[in-house]
Amino acid sequence: MRISELSRRSGVATATIKYYLREGLLPPGRATAATQAEYGEVHVRRLRLIRALIGVRGLTVSAAKDVLDVVNEGEADTHELLGLVFGIRPPAEGGPADGAADSAADGATDGAAGDATDGGVREVDALIAEMGWTVSEHNPARETITQTLHTLNSLGMDYGWRALLPYAALAEQTATLDLDQLQGPDDPLEKAERAVLLTVLLEPALLALRRLAQEAGSTVRHRS
């Protein structure tokens, strides 16, 4: 198909497709003339994945390219692929971790907040250790839990990491279901698509299920 048809099929503007081609996110088409090329179904699928990574997952173009580079290797390492989709990106060699400079500045101006954050980090470490999980230090979910616990306690709730243990056990079961569904496809592109679908696009539905269950449970407890 021509690039105009690729744009129509994928829902991505022609100018954006050309940008992805220049940046190496999209493989070149088969040249048919000096300034023309043909594209196939693999390009349609790749564009859908790029849109999911950038538009839904919120990755930068550079981070999305890292995911696609793993796919391009032909034998995608599932663990590495998932890490990139999750946003687990170690700091550049010799440089500070993301946000380290900001954290240092904040600590210099607000020691109490820094102490609270340090306490939150220790709580996350304790939770992970209790669950027996091996988790990267660069997983952004660590910061999410740290900030959540800090906010709850700042609002007067005595809420520590142990209160999260039952939720962690449920999350572990959910993760097992997710990973089970990643087994099977040998095609790296299909594996990447599934990783994005199951780890990002499914999250709103999981939260919605929790809301439904909360209402159902409340009905039984408080309306019977």
Side-chain angles (χ1 to χ4, degrees):
M1 70 188 81
R2 304 284 286 275
I3 195 169
S4 57
E5 175 67 8
L6 178 61
S7 175
R8 187 188 69 79
R9 290 273 308 277
S10 65
V12 179
T14 299
T16 303
I17 292 175
K18 291 180 178 179
Y19 171 69
Y20 291 156
L21 287 166
R22 289 196 303 271
E23 294 298 315
L25 277 75
L26 193 65
R30 183 177 66 85
T32 57
T35 59
Q36 293 184 349
E38 287 186 345
Y39 303 90
E41 288 300 321
V42 67
H43 292 89
V44 177
R45 289 178 59 196
R46 180 65 65 91
L47 281 170
R48 289 171 180 164
L49 178 57
I50 293 171
R51 291 183 68 186
L53 290 170
I54 296 176
V56 180
R57 174 63 182 84
L59 296 184
T60 63
V61 170
S62 175
K65 188 175 185 301
D66 287 344
V67 176
L68 296 169
D69 284 345
V70 173
V71 173
N72 290 339
E73 291 176 1
E75 294 293 337
D77 182 300
T78 302
H79 186 66
E80 179 182 0
L81 182 62
L82 282 173
L84 292 170
V85 170
F86 295 157
I88 304 172
R89 297 170 60 81
E93 186 175 347
D98 291 342
D102 292 339
S103 297
D106 291 343
T109 57
D110 189 350
D115 291 343
T117 299
D118 290 343
V121 171
R122 288 193 294 272
E123 290 213 15
V124 171
D125 288 340
L127 170 65
I128 291 171
E130 181 70 19
M131 293 300 298
W133 291 345
T134 300
V135 179
S136 167
E137 294 181 0
H138 309 293
N139 192 319
R142 286 175 172 267
E143 178 64 16
T144 299
I145 295 174
T146 296
Q147 292 301 324
T148 299
L149 291 175
H150 172 61
T151 300
L152 287 170
N153 282 279
S154 70
L155 294 173
M157 289 190 65
D158 185 13
Y159 205 94
W161 66 271
R162 293 185 182 279
L164 290 177
L165 286 175
Y167 295 99
L170 292 173
E172 188 171 62
Q173 294 178 41
T174 302
T176 298
L177 292 173
D178 290 340
L179 294 172
D180 285 347
Q181 294 180 73
L182 289 179
Q183 300 299 317
D186 295 324
D187 178 14
L189 181 56
E190 183 180 354
K191 188 174 292 186
E193 290 172 342
R194 286 198 183 190
V196 174
L197 291 173
L198 294 173
T199 61
V200 180
L201 300 185
L202 193 60
E203 285 184 349
L206 297 180
L207 179 58
L209 286 171
R210 183 188 182 200
R211 294 287 184 261
L212 293 174
Q214 286 172 335
E215 181 186 355
S218 177
T219 300
V220 171
R221 292 189 184 200
H222 306 299
R223 292 293 180 88
S224 57

